Amino acid sequence: MTINIALQGLSVAQRGFEVASNNIANVNTPGYSRQQIDLSSRAAPEQGVQILSINRVVDLFSQQQHWSSSAAFQSSDAFAFYAGQLDNLLANSNTSLSASLDQFFSALQTGVDDPSSIPNRELILAQADATAERFVEVDRQLRAQNDAVNTKLNSATDEVNQMAKIVADLNDLIRLADSRGEPANELKDQRDQMIMGLSEKLGVTVQTSTGSTDINLYVGNGQPLVIGGNASTVTYSQGDPDINDVDIHLSINDKRIKIDDQINDGEIGGLLRIKDELLIPSWNELGRLAIVFSDTMNEQHIKGVDIDGRMANELFSDLKTTGEVRAFSTNQSPMSSLSDVVIRDTSLLNASDYVVKFGEGNSFTVTRKSDGQIFTQNDFTARNGALAADSYQDMTLDQDVANGTLRLNIDGIDIDLRTAKGEAFGENDQVLIMPVRTGAESLSVELKSGRELAFASPVRAETAEDNLGTLSVDGIIIQEPTNFGQQGSAVSMELALVNNPPVQIVFNADGTYNAFDVSDPNNPIAYVFDDGSAATNRTYTEGQPIQFNGFTATVSGKPSVNDKIDFSPNTGAVSDNRNALQLSNLQQAEVIEGATYQDNYGRLIERVGTSASVANINLQANETIMRNAEAVRNGISGVNLDEEAADIIKFQQQYQAAAQVINTARSLFDTLLASTGG
């Protein structure tokens, strides 16, 4: 029996030596868990030692902490990387819009200083073109970054599917090995390594069951990714209906579950967050800025006269109709191609997409995606049909849902939705409205020559030389430029589409004034005001605008009886800079939510820069947490060379001692035989 016990000791020492050697060999193997020999003494009368198993040293809690911290780190890493790229794009002086806008308005100031200079005009036009190109280039860069994120998401989902399939296969192999009583430590290490990879991609919840070797994995809000030997498939597809977005589904047998709004962790979670929190909002903000810039510059420019005496054309392309209406593919009622969105009032414009969702009966909701605010049917009132068809009436509707038409005015946009066949909108049908997203990509300069720049006003004001009072005209504001001629036509008051003849005001002794139509200077007649008010004995208040047909004039000073002011077509006004000055003043005008063009762009840079800075802070914090979790895991499951060296010495000594027992037993046996004459 002594020799048998010693042989057991030799076997245990040899196996222990092999386990320690294997641990040492795998000290740098990623995901390897230290193994240890599990021993038990044999009960009497057998006595001795037996090997129960070779086990991995694993603590499930520390393992899961490592997985979850790695998921958080990878999410932060992906977000911080692309946030930094976006921040660099918007804030870099070589690509920034702010510098380009500065150069444009600096050039425009030369037109204010010398409106008759043709070289100055050409310089202004060149800078306008450069500014438009900068908008287009920033838009292109945003689109490229969005495409890069989408490509990364596509490849990440492919990797998820590969790793999920491996985990499911390893579950089967481990279950089979366990049923045969075979060790599966290496297989379990491989499975843990795949789970780590899945955590780094999209974050997983790990579930184990008592009495089972399987590990089940869940994603999002508890959707099954791996159950035993079965793996679900994560699918990537182009966004519905936004083709610049992505949809991520989990396919379980024949069922598809949309999960992109449930994933927050891992690389995929970080990529989805960068799109939702920074990329798409920045894209919309850039589009809104381009639309407001184009509209406000055009609105002022067309109120002027070019160097050849023609009413102005638009300076930049009209972007108010570049928005898109996209129906969801799951809709019951197809949308007509006539459905559209038009921007009517840029002062109310939001940098946002909208979703219109139809409910039961005639009900619907409108969700503004930038802040999540939901408007119901009751928030809108009926449109005033007496007003012009293209008039904007805020928070109004024109609804015939049963026949598939709905018109909404909200946030400065005019939404017109129609079904293809005039049928009712289907319950739960949804339509995505993108009024500003594509604004910047289409910005361009419409003028071909600097001569077309409209620096002069179409109206000239002159006080009579024989006036005895102190009257002066401080400013003229053009309200209806078409009153002075069509775009590109010679300025005229006599030939205007709306009757707007040259006008002379003559002051009375009591300080009132009379207005005369002086189309025929030798035969003045009463001026006909559009509002039907009398042309005689009109009240004069110093500094208060006087309303004429299509323009207002601000007059100051004290009049004397028979003092006169003439308002006439401003022909031959090559040195007039009044409209150029108004264009230049737009640089400081608060036209976007109480901010100037550049202040608004600065807010965008600040918002992105702050997000990038916070992302880096979170990245560093999550990296520290991950490293700590990794250290805890490695402290339990990792290979410690000092411990393994000690184990080798211990098993070596055990082996030597067991061998010595055998030698001693043999010597005793030989002595016994010799003493008995054997």
Side-chain angles (χ1 to χ4, degrees):
M1 177 178 289
T2 301
I3 293 177
N4 187 46
I5 292 174
L7 288 173
Q8 293 174 20
L10 284 174
S11 177
V12 166
Q14 182 178 2
R15 193 72 183 98
F17 187 84
E18 291 172 355
V19 169
S21 298
N22 188 54
N23 285 340
I24 292 172
N26 286 282
V27 65
N28 294 316
T29 302
Y32 178 80
S33 297
R34 177 168 60 90
Q35 298 179 15
Q36 66 181 13
I37 187 168
D38 189 8
L39 304 175
S40 174
S41 62
R42 293 177 181 270
E46 293 182 352
Q47 296 187 331
V49 65
Q50 62 181 339
I51 300 174
L52 296 179
S53 62
I54 308 298
N55 293 323
R56 297 187 311 148
V57 180
V58 174
D59 178 72
L60 184 58
F61 176 77
S62 63
Q63 188 83 294
Q64 290 186 337
Q65 288 293 104
H66 189 204
W67 290 334
S68 62
S69 62
S70 295
F73 170 74
Q74 291 298 331
S75 176
S76 299
D77 187 41
F79 188 93
F81 176 78
Y82 285 103
Q85 280 196 345
L86 182 59
D87 184 38
N88 184 62
L89 168 65
L90 298 176
N92 189 297
S93 59
N94 294 323
T95 56
S96 171
L97 272 173
S98 188
S100 186
L101 287 168
D102 264 338
Q103 292 167 359
F104 169 67
F105 282 106
S106 293
L108 188 57
Q109 185 60 42
T110 66
V112 173
D113 297 338
D114 187 1
S116 63
S117 170
I118 299 300
N120 285 352
R121 287 170 171 264
E122 294 298 337
L123 173 63
I124 294 166
L125 203 61
Q127 288 296 342
D129 191 59
T131 300
E133 289 179 357
R134 183 64 57 87
F135 269 102
V136 173
E137 177 60 20
V138 175
D139 176 88
R140 189 189 68 79
Q141 293 284 352
L142 285 175
R143 185 180 299 276
Q145 190 170 125
N146 184 70
D147 290 344
V149 171
N150 290 350
T151 300
K152 194 74 173 175
L153 282 167
N154 193 7
S155 64
T157 54
D158 287 342
E159 293 177 54
V160 165
N161 289 328
Q162 294 171 12
M163 289 187 287
K165 181 65 169 60
I166 292 173
V167 170
D169 291 344
L170 286 169
N171 274 341
D172 286 340
L173 292 173
I174 293 168
R175 192 184 318 112
L176 179 62
D178 184 67
S179 67
R180 293 175 176 174
E182 299 173 353
N185 291 336
E186 285 72 20
L187 294 177
K188 291 178 180 178
D189 281 346
Q190 292 175 33
R191 183 174 64 182
D192 286 353
Q193 194 68 2
M194 288 298 103
I195 294 174
M196 170 63 80
L198 287 168
S199 295
E200 291 175 345
K201 289 300 175 185
L202 78 169
V204 293
T205 300
V206 180
Q207 183 186 71
T208 59
S209 300
T210 304
S212 173
T213 60
D214 288 347
I215 284 184
N216 300 326
L217 304 178
Y218 301 86
V219 297
N221 297 333
Q223 310 302 334
L225 178 63
V226 176
I227 300 295
N230 299 313
S232 303
T233 303
V234 178
T235 59
Y236 166 97
S237 59
Q238 193 176 65
D240 176 22
D242 183 1
I243 61 174
N244 292 307
D245 206 352
V246 298
D247 287 337
I248 296 178
H249 291 83
L250 188 67
S251 297
I252 309 171
N253 297 323
D254 295 330
K255 185 178 180 181
R256 295 178 77 240
I257 303 173
K258 194 171 186 295
I259 61 170
D260 48 78
D261 56 347
Q262 302 177 21
I263 301 174
N264 297 311
D265 290 329
E267 180 185 17
I268 291 177
L271 294 173
L272 291 172
R273 284 199 305 118
I274 197 70
K275 285 174 66 69
D276 293 341
E277 296 179 19
L278 285 185
L279 259 178
I280 299 301
S282 297
W283 208 349
N284 280 333
E285 192 62 73
L286 178 71
R288 177 174 72 160
L289 178 57
I291 291 168
V292 174
F293 176 69
S294 166
D295 182 60
T296 50
M297 293 298 295
N298 285 343
E299 183 181 13
Q300 186 59 52
H301 189 259
I302 63 173
K303 295 177 179 179
V305 178
D306 68 18
I307 200 168
D308 295 313
R310 295 186 298 261
M311 290 301 296
N313 291 303
E314 292 184 334
L315 175 55
F316 294 101
S317 50
D318 184 359
L319 304 177
K320 296 193 294 296
T321 59
T322 58
E324 296 182 2
V325 174
R326 295 183 179 272
F328 284 69
S329 63
T330 54
N331 285 359
Q332 302 174 49
S333 302
M335 297 298 298
S336 167
S337 59
L338 297 177
S339 298
D340 67 2
V341 56
V342 178
I343 297 169
R344 303 290 186 191
D345 187 346
T346 57
S347 68
L348 301 176
L349 200 56
N350 271 260
S352 179
D353 300 330
Y354 300 78
V355 174
V356 179
K357 183 176 182 179
F358 295 94
E360 295 183 16
N362 295 336
S363 67
F364 65 86
T365 60
V366 179
T367 302
R368 185 167 58 206
K369 297 187 70 175
S370 60
D371 59 6
Q373 185 170 354
I374 299 175
F375 303 89
T376 68
Q377 183 178 4
N378 295 330
D379 293 317
F380 296 85
T381 58
R383 281 182 63 85
N384 183 351
L387 299 179
D390 62 352
S391 65
Y392 178 77
Q393 304 172 44
D394 196 35
M395 296 305 294
T396 61
L397 60 78
D398 185 1
Q399 181 181 24
D400 187 359
V401 176
N403 291 310
T405 64
L406 176 64
R407 183 179 180 187
L408 300 170
N409 282 184
I410 180 174
D411 293 343
I413 63 175
D414 191 344
I415 303 170
D416 187 0
L417 302 180
R418 307 180 189 188
T419 55
K421 299 179 180 179
E423 71 272 35
F425 294 104
E427 185 176 347
N428 294 321
D429 280 2
Q430 297 183 79
V431 182
L432 175 66
I433 314 296
M434 298 186 291
V436 299
R437 179 88 62 84
T438 58
E441 72 176 26
S442 303
L443 185 62
S444 62
V445 174
E446 294 294 288
L447 305 184
K448 305 302 180 186
S449 167
R451 300 185 68 87
E452 297 178 77
L453 287 168
F455 290 162
S457 172
V459 178
R460 174 184 298 161
E462 295 177 297
T463 56
E465 292 184 359
D466 57 355
N467 282 356
L468 299 178
T470 60
L471 293 173
S472 64
V473 178
D474 298 331
I476 293 175
I477 297 177
I478 305 301
Q479 298 166 313
E480 298 293 339
T482 54
N483 280 18
F484 309 99
Q486 295 284 28
Q487 291 180 5
S489 67
V491 61
S492 168
M493 285 186 168
E494 297 88 342
L495 302 178
L497 294 179
V498 179
N499 183 29
N500 192 42
V503 58
Q504 181 183 78
I505 60 174
V506 181
F507 285 84
N508 302 315
D510 59 0
T512 62
Y513 65 91
N514 302 327
F516 297 96
D517 174 348
V518 289
S519 297
D520 181 357
N522 297 319
N523 185 28
I525 59 176
Y527 185 80
V528 179
F529 286 90
D530 283 344
D531 62 4
S533 58
T536 57
N537 299 319
R538 298 176 67 88
T539 302
Y540 165 69
T541 302
E542 183 177 3
Q544 292 296 314
I546 299 174
Q547 180 68 59
F548 297 101
N549 298 341
F551 71 98
T552 63
T554 301
V555 179
S556 61
K558 302 297 182 182
S560 293
V561 62
N562 290 325
D563 279 0
K564 302 179 183 65
I565 303 176
D566 286 286
F567 299 93
S568 59
N570 191 20
T571 56
V574 295
S575 297
D576 184 356
N577 69 351
R578 284 178 292 164
N579 201 48
L581 186 60
Q582 293 297 321
L583 288 168
S584 180
N585 289 342
L586 285 174
Q587 183 179 19
Q588 303 303 325
E590 297 178 348
V591 293
I592 308 179
E593 293 184 353
T596 66
Y597 306 129
Q598 287 156 291
D599 286 345
N600 177 259
Y601 187 71
R603 288 177 182 176
L604 174 59
I605 293 175
E606 181 180 3
R607 187 160 58 247
V608 172
T610 300
S611 294
S613 178
V614 171
N616 283 321
I617 294 172
N618 290 338
L619 176 63
Q620 294 171 11
N622 285 330
E623 183 176 17
T624 300
I625 293 171
M626 182 189 68
R627 298 301 178 202
N628 290 340
E630 184 178 28
V632 171
R633 182 265 174 199
N634 289 341
I636 297 172
S637 301
V639 176
N640 185 307
L641 291 177
D642 291 337
E643 290 183 7
E644 300 304 325
D647 283 346
I648 286 178
I649 294 173
K650 179 179 67 176
F651 289 124
Q652 182 184 25
Q653 291 173 341
Q654 180 183 1
Y655 190 93
Q656 292 171 344
Q660 185 63 38
V661 170
I662 293 173
N663 288 333
T664 302
R666 181 181 297 154
S667 177
L668 289 173
F669 184 70
D670 290 344
T671 302
L672 180 62
L673 287 177
S675 66
T676 59

